[in-house]
Amino acid sequence: MLHLYIARHGQTQWNVEKRMQGWMDSDLTELGLYNACALGERLKDIELNQVYISPSKRTEETAKNVLGSRRPPLVIDHMFREMSLGSWEGKKQEDIERDEPDLFRTYFHYPEAYRQQGSETFFDFENRVRLALQTILDSHASGNVLLVTHSVFILMLLNIIKGRRINDIWNSAYIHDTSLSLVEFDENGTAEIIIEGDGKHRKPISAF
């Protein structure tokens, strides 16, 4: 049995400012760092055989704080990056919604129809996430694997596992910073989602 633990990176400054990140980056906040350490405490008794992360600074910093003194094998690969958002990256959502209302609505309500120059389509993104998942499954028939990645990546990954269409990607629980999902794969590759977007280890924003 393969246990795939899937975590989103910690809260970033751009998350606070409600800026779209995509392949661009911003620093973790104090809360983001705290919750990454809290997730590490939650997973401290899990013997991790492998860790996969995207090359984004926010995922690297999150993984570092989750792992603490532990040193499991670590793979950093671009296939685990967030969806590319082209010219939207670094912009506030409210500004995008004001300046490009039709495209903004398409992104969140009709993702199969979303097209933006310099951005991945959801179809291209889905193919990349499928490849990323298959890479993990080809490398691990059993054990405990941790994937530290991004919110839309996680939503797409779970959407694929659920066997749903791209247009269903937003019809899932919100993936908060450092939230944890767990998917188990049996020897036949059959998947079962055990935990989805759980954040019981997280300290609320009001505490900061």
Side-chain angles (χ1 to χ4, degrees):
M1 180 79 73
L2 171 63
H3 306 272
L4 178 59
Y5 295 86
I6 308 162
R8 184 189 175 190
H9 62 79
Q11 183 195 69
T12 69
Q13 187 59 44
W14 279 9
N15 290 150
V16 174
E17 298 172 4
K18 299 189 183 304
R19 295 181 186 274
M20 304 289 263
Q21 292 188 120
W23 288 3
M24 292 181 71
D25 230 330
S26 65
D27 293 332
L28 295 187
T29 64
E30 182 182 356
L31 177 60
L33 291 167
Y34 177 91
N35 284 336
C37 292
L39 177 58
E41 180 68 17
R42 180 176 179 177
L43 296 176
K44 67 179 181 179
D45 295 326
I46 306 296
E47 183 179 353
L48 298 171
N49 304 109
Q50 186 85 49
V51 178
Y52 292 90
I53 66 172
S54 85
S56 299
K57 179 182 177 181
R58 59 192 186 273
T59 52
E60 292 190 50
E61 284 297 306
T62 300
K64 176 182 176 181
N65 283 275
V66 169
L67 295 174
S69 62
R70 294 196 284 177
R71 294 292 181 269
L74 179 68
V75 173
I76 303 174
D77 199 294
H78 285 77
M79 75 174 73
F80 302 112
R81 284 190 298 187
E82 182 61 290
M83 181 176 175
S84 169
L85 296 174
S87 64
W88 284 3
E89 297 185 10
K91 292 182 179 179
K92 291 185 176 182
Q93 290 190 30
E94 62 182 355
D95 293 338
I96 298 169
E97 187 174 14
R98 180 197 63 222
D99 297 338
E100 302 177 80
D102 292 339
L103 189 59
F104 188 83
R105 177 173 173 78
T106 299
Y107 176 83
F108 282 109
H109 294 278
Y110 309 101
E112 290 184 3
Y114 168 79
R115 301 287 187 280
Q116 182 192 176
Q117 186 173 2
S119 171
E120 286 181 289
T121 67
F122 278 89
F123 290 98
D124 290 340
F125 182 53
E126 181 188 47
N127 287 336
R128 174 160 65 82
V129 176
R130 285 187 185 277
L131 176 61
L133 175 59
Q134 194 59 53
T135 297
I136 292 174
L137 296 179
D138 288 345
S139 301
H140 306 277
S142 61
N144 300 308
V145 171
L146 173 64
L147 170 61
V148 182
T149 182
H150 308 267
S151 60
V152 185
F153 187 102
I154 295 170
L155 286 171
M156 181 62 81
L157 178 59
L158 295 175
N159 205 55
I160 290 168
I161 291 169
K162 293 172 183 177
R164 304 192 310 186
R165 293 178 54 195
I166 287 172
N167 272 349
D168 294 318
I169 186 173
W170 303 117
N171 299 327
S172 293
Y174 184 78
I175 303 297
H176 291 277
D177 68 278
T178 72
S179 64
L180 182 68
S181 300
L182 170 61
V183 184
E184 293 182 348
F185 298 86
D186 66 18
E187 61 275 8
N188 299 314
T190 302
E192 181 181 2
I193 299 174
I194 307 299
I195 302 171
E196 183 173 355
D198 183 78
K200 65 183 180 183
H201 57 280
R202 299 170 66 246
K203 178 171 284 191
I205 293 174
S206 60
F208 273 69

